[in-house]
Amino acid sequence: MSGRNTALTPPADATAPVRHPGAPAPGELLGAHYEHCFGCGDGQPHGLHLEARAGEGVRVTAEFTVKAAHQGAPGLAHGGVLATALDETLGSLNWLLRVIAVTGRLETDFVRPVPVDTVLYLEAEVTAVAGRKIYSSAVGRIGGPQGPVALRADALFIEVKVDHFIDNGRPEEIRAAMADPDQVRRARAFEVNP
């Protein structure tokens, strides 16, 4: 292996991220962007129910509790579930930029096992922006912000238009989301696709 993937390294002309003036205030709970999202939605009985909060600058924090339904090996979280938690947290960063973006690449390092019933504390930040590309990183700690590091990730998100979801999503879900009488909920369903 040659180390860090160059696709996750911002180009020389990348700029520092700028928090949108309309972004949620630091400390504000972001809430689910879509009820049926496996990462953050309340409509998923075995989902992560991850709760993200806006941080300072272009940062977020999030927490989720690893449940028995999330295990891979006996008593331990499934690596794919942990990657999903990182992806969801990193995707939440796009709310602070006020852009619609999708995951282009996610590289995850698993540092230590995460037992069932553990609260995983995640921190993520946007590190650079280059055109439609958004570079970010995250770390997951066991038990709290000072706990031992369990996982890390670097990610590349790509800014897209809402047509990306309309053209590629299953029609019945797209119609249902677009027909929602709650204008805010309708718009948020398409804000983030981590």
Side-chain angles (χ1 to χ4, degrees):
M1 290 301 282
S2 62
R4 186 181 165 121
N5 187 302
T6 58
L8 295 172
T9 302
D13 63 346
T15 60
V18 177
R19 184 189 188 100
H20 190 278
E28 187 176 327
L29 188 63
L30 298 177
H33 72 93
Y34 178 54
E35 176 187 4
H36 300 292
C37 173
F38 180 78
C40 66
D42 291 333
Q44 290 289 345
H46 297 296
L48 304 185
H49 304 155
L50 187 134
E51 293 187 345
R53 288 190 184 279
E56 297 291 333
V58 190
R59 293 183 171 94
V60 297
T61 60
E63 290 185 8
F64 93 97
T65 301
V66 177
K67 304 288 186 191
H70 303 142
Q71 64 189 314
L76 296 173
H78 189 288
V81 168
L82 297 175
T84 300
L86 286 165
D87 190 39
E88 184 70 29
T89 303
L90 289 157
S92 296
L93 289 165
N94 297 313
W95 293 350
L96 304 181
L97 299 173
R98 302 301 273 182
V99 298
I100 301 170
V102 296
T103 310
R105 186 171 189 88
L106 176 67
E107 187 173 293
T108 305
D109 295 316
F110 300 96
V111 178
R112 68 177 25 140
V114 179
V116 169
D117 294 328
T118 295
V119 175
L120 192 64
Y121 180 84
L122 301 124
E123 298 174 298
E125 69 176 323
V126 175
T127 57
V129 176
R132 294 177 43 226
K133 294 180 177 182
I134 302 162
Y135 297 86
S136 53
S137 63
V139 64
R141 295 177 180 273
I142 293 176
Q146 305 306 316
V149 173
L151 53 152
R152 292 184 183 93
D154 290 305
L156 170 65
F157 281 77
I158 309 296
E159 186 175 350
V160 297
K161 303 292 183 207
V162 74
D163 292 351
H164 168 85
F165 303 99
I166 295 167
D167 294 345
N168 296 294
R170 196 165 68 165
E172 49 266 41
E173 277 88 356
I174 297 297
R175 281 193 298 274
M178 293 181 81
D180 191 324
D182 184 320
Q183 185 176 7
V184 172
R185 223 175 25 226
R186 184 173 60 237
R188 288 197 68 190
F190 299 102
E191 275 185 343
V192 177
N193 182 37

